[in-house]
Amino acid sequence: MWKLKLSEGNCEHDPWLTSLNNHIGRQFWEFDPNLGTPEERQQVNKLRNDFTENRFLTKHSSDLLMRLQFAKENACEMKQLPQVKVKDEEEISDEQVVSTTLRRALRFYSSLQAEDGFWPGDYGGPLFLLPGLVVGLFVTGALNAILTVEHRREMIRYLYNHQNRDGGWGLHIEGCSTMFCTALSYVTLRLLGETMDGGDDGAMEKARKWILDRGGVTSIPSWGKMWLSVLGVYEWSGNNPLPPEIWLLPYFLPFHPGRMWCHCRMVYLPMSYLYGTRFVGPFNSLILSLRKELYTLPYDSIDWDHARNLCAKEDLYYPHPMIQDILWGCLHKIGEPLVKKWPFSKLRHNALKTVMQHIHYEDENTQYICIGPVNKVLNMICCWVEDPNSEAYKRHLSRIKDYLWLAEDGMKMQGYNGSQLWDVTLAVQAILATDLVDEFGSTLKKAFSFLKNTQVREDCSGDLNYWYRHISKGGWPFSTADNGWLVLDCTAEGLKAAILLSQLPADIVGEAIQENQLYDAVNVILSLQNSTGGFASYELTRSYAWLEMINPAETFGDIILDYQYVECTSAAIQGLKSFMKIYPGHRRKEIEACIEKAIEFIESKQQPDGSWYGSWGVCFTYGTWFGVKGLVTCGKTYENSNSIKKACNFLLSKQLDSGGWGESDLSCQNKVYTNLEGNKSHLVNTAWAMLSLIEAGQAHRDPIPLHRAAKVLINSQMENGDFPQQEIMGVFNKNCTISYSAYRNIFPVWALGEYLNLVLLPSKNC
């Protein structure tokens, strides 16, 4: 049976594992053949079977294996808090109904908290991540050593569970089939031991038919071409160039990779190394067979030059502009032949050496976790290519389990090594909104400890300019201290949460955070404001929007630059405003000037219909919550701000007959508000809309929409105090969704907490 391990390093058995804070926040799964009673194993199998039977109706797992483990280790008692259901809005006027719902929710959610203060959970969703890992381990010869039989069984389960009815796989678990993920998932299953005719109901045959019916994998997008080339089932000559020499260019050029969004440059960095070396993994009978299975023509007769620019229509979110095709054509036909000849071959040698230096820098400054799963696997392969026996490669292997998550749908690769810090900052604010601090002080105390232990305490090593890194001291990461990458909104929300908790009695939540740590957080936030007034996600926006013309990833939008976002800018405003209330004299003029410019940025990004587009959540309900919150924090109201008035009108116009809100991820792709299929309400969208309207004073104008929404949240609570997992609510790069599994617990609590204390109770006292 599998067991979730928390904040463990196992350094005695793994000398290649290092940590900055004794692995606080780490989460990984281990298999123990002796664990569990027959009844418990039967229960696990039932959960798995139930998911498989309903996989086309419910695409998202509910983290039931983790919940099963916590129910055994940290049982949650609900006998004194019976479940509440509301028949009509009038019943909500009894605040006891809401407070009981909140106590039940927090009692349950507290039982899922780790001892060191974070909430573990699933951060999966994208389906192109796991294939990269399996390919990487296969070509470096470590597949069976790292992935046990049990690992491989659960990965196979996961892939089959998320295969669509038509035989293909989507970019993410709720997406329509794409060539990118169908081809990679098929290949992954073959590498994991599945036969050509494997799977129930001809699953592998259906997948292969889906691929061949669309002309074979020559039309796979560029990232897929790269992975298949590494594996040896696609030719490097069928890829558009990724020359490592670009890293030798002077930084003042606007297209220097050091100016790109960190996620983009950290992926294309190792890609350029593999392209520059034309690395191909070992050749065997399986590779030979895949060369036959994936194509409609004999492998040796394929026109690879023609295949460079092919992309299946199902995958084409960002078509290449003509200028890009001209650029790649020139590099392919002129540049690449040149660098193969002396003396230009020396340039390639120096470029590859420089690229490896940057790869090692990223690895060492993230304890080999790396900024994300794609560059983590690519960096690992590059380290192996450089030296198969290197210490760097061994350290990479030790961190693979940090990205693997197990649920009733199988084992997946997460989009980060978790969302630990982000979830804690939001959970703290949600709990505080309920005004139940005395009852849940121990939960807050553990969360506060995690916040303090996860703040980035030092900048990265060496000359930051040389490595294209921003200062990071004082920031907070998205996940753990070992990941190390400062994220702007995580820093701002971390600052907010730390200040709120520091105002509470130390005997309840522990010692306040040190002032100098707050000063450091403010310093790094101020350093990240762009000239427009907006804030990006990790760093300053370093180049021009026209550079997106060379975005080579047909599947994703807006990947070249670290653009400025309403969510990040609003979070920065809120964090700085919270700080000013407690420390009004510290850098006051700078903070006030920063906030003034940030407000202008937020107002400039409002859509004509009153909404804000959300870039990291689904979608307009998410962006509008941040837009409204940022403006209200600065004194804007429904009465004095047309932006607030328009936002409220927008939200009210989208409220469903049920009383809730339910927004589809299609809103993100198409940039037009789209309801969920069947006009279903969604707990998280409903909570975001409620929070926005409450902030904007809706209770004073007409509280009925809030009563109706509260009814939806209250009646959705489950018998054990949990809330159901519904459609996926996270997104990145416009076109790919990702799981924020804690949102189902955090945001209903936050919305109902504010509803109780800012809507119901004040109305009673009038």
Side-chain angles (χ1 to χ4, degrees), residues 671-723:
K671 302 180 184 177
V672 176
Y673 189 98
T674 307
N675 284 334
L676 285 169
E677 187 177 353
N679 290 334
K680 292 186 296 183
S681 63
H682 194 293
L683 294 173
V684 177
N685 293 131
T686 300
W688 288 335
M690 278 185 71
L691 288 165
S692 301
L693 292 169
I694 292 171
E695 286 286 343
Q698 182 66 32
H700 303 299
R701 296 184 297 276
D702 177 12
I704 292 177
L706 299 174
H707 297 328
R708 296 174 62 219
K711 175 186 172 184
V712 171
L713 297 184
I714 291 169
N715 286 345
S716 296
Q717 189 175 44
M718 299 160 66
E719 188 176 354
N720 63 354
D722 199 0
F723 287 94

Side-chain angles (χ1 to χ4, degrees), residues 580-685:
M580 284 183 68
K581 290 178 182 177
I582 310 302
Y583 302 97
H586 183 79
R587 302 178 69 173
R588 184 177 186 89
K589 290 185 178 179
E590 291 176 72
I591 293 174
E592 287 177 341
C594 170
I595 290 174
E596 185 176 349
K597 289 174 65 178
I599 293 171
E600 292 176 2
F601 174 84
I602 289 178
E603 290 178 333
S604 73
K605 292 298 179 182
Q606 190 173 26
Q607 305 286 317
D609 65 2
S611 68
W612 280 271
Y613 180 85
S615 296
W616 303 101
V618 178
C619 171
F620 292 97
T621 44
Y622 185 68
T624 301
W625 174 48
F626 276 98
V628 168
K629 182 79 170 176
L631 296 181
V632 170
T633 300
C634 298
K636 304 284 185 178
T637 66
Y638 185 91
E639 289 72 28
N640 67 22
S641 169
N642 192 46
S643 291
I644 297 291
K645 187 175 294 184
K646 287 169 62 180
C648 291
N649 291 337
F650 165 78
L651 289 171
L652 292 172
S653 74
K654 302 302 180 184
Q655 190 170 23
L656 300 168
D657 292 341
S658 65
W661 283 259
E663 191 175 1
S664 166
D665 64 278
L666 294 175
S667 294
C668 308
Q669 296 177 34
N670 302 326
K671 302 180 184 177
V672 176
Y673 189 98
T674 307
N675 284 334
L676 285 169
E677 187 177 353
N679 290 334
K680 292 186 296 183
S681 63
H682 194 293
L683 294 173
V684 177
N685 293 131

Side-chain angles (χ1 to χ4, degrees), residues 131-180:
L133 173 64
V134 173
V135 169
L137 292 174
F138 180 86
V139 299
T140 61
L143 183 65
N144 293 335
I146 299 301
L147 302 182
T148 64
V149 172
E150 289 78 16
H151 282 90
R152 298 197 296 275
R153 181 183 297 119
E154 292 304 321
M155 289 177 176
I156 291 170
R157 185 196 312 278
Y158 178 73
L159 290 172
Y160 282 140
N161 271 333
H162 293 290
Q163 186 178 22
N164 291 329
R165 291 183 189 273
D166 64 4
W169 282 265
L171 185 64
H172 52 88
I173 57 174
E174 295 182 4
C176 298
S177 297
T178 62
M179 181 64 75
F180 183 26

Side-chain angles (χ1 to χ4, degrees), residues 519-535:
Y519 294 161
D520 289 340
V522 168
N523 180 63
V524 78
I525 291 173
L526 291 173
S527 75
L528 284 166
Q529 187 173 39
N530 291 279
S531 59
T532 61
F535 287 82

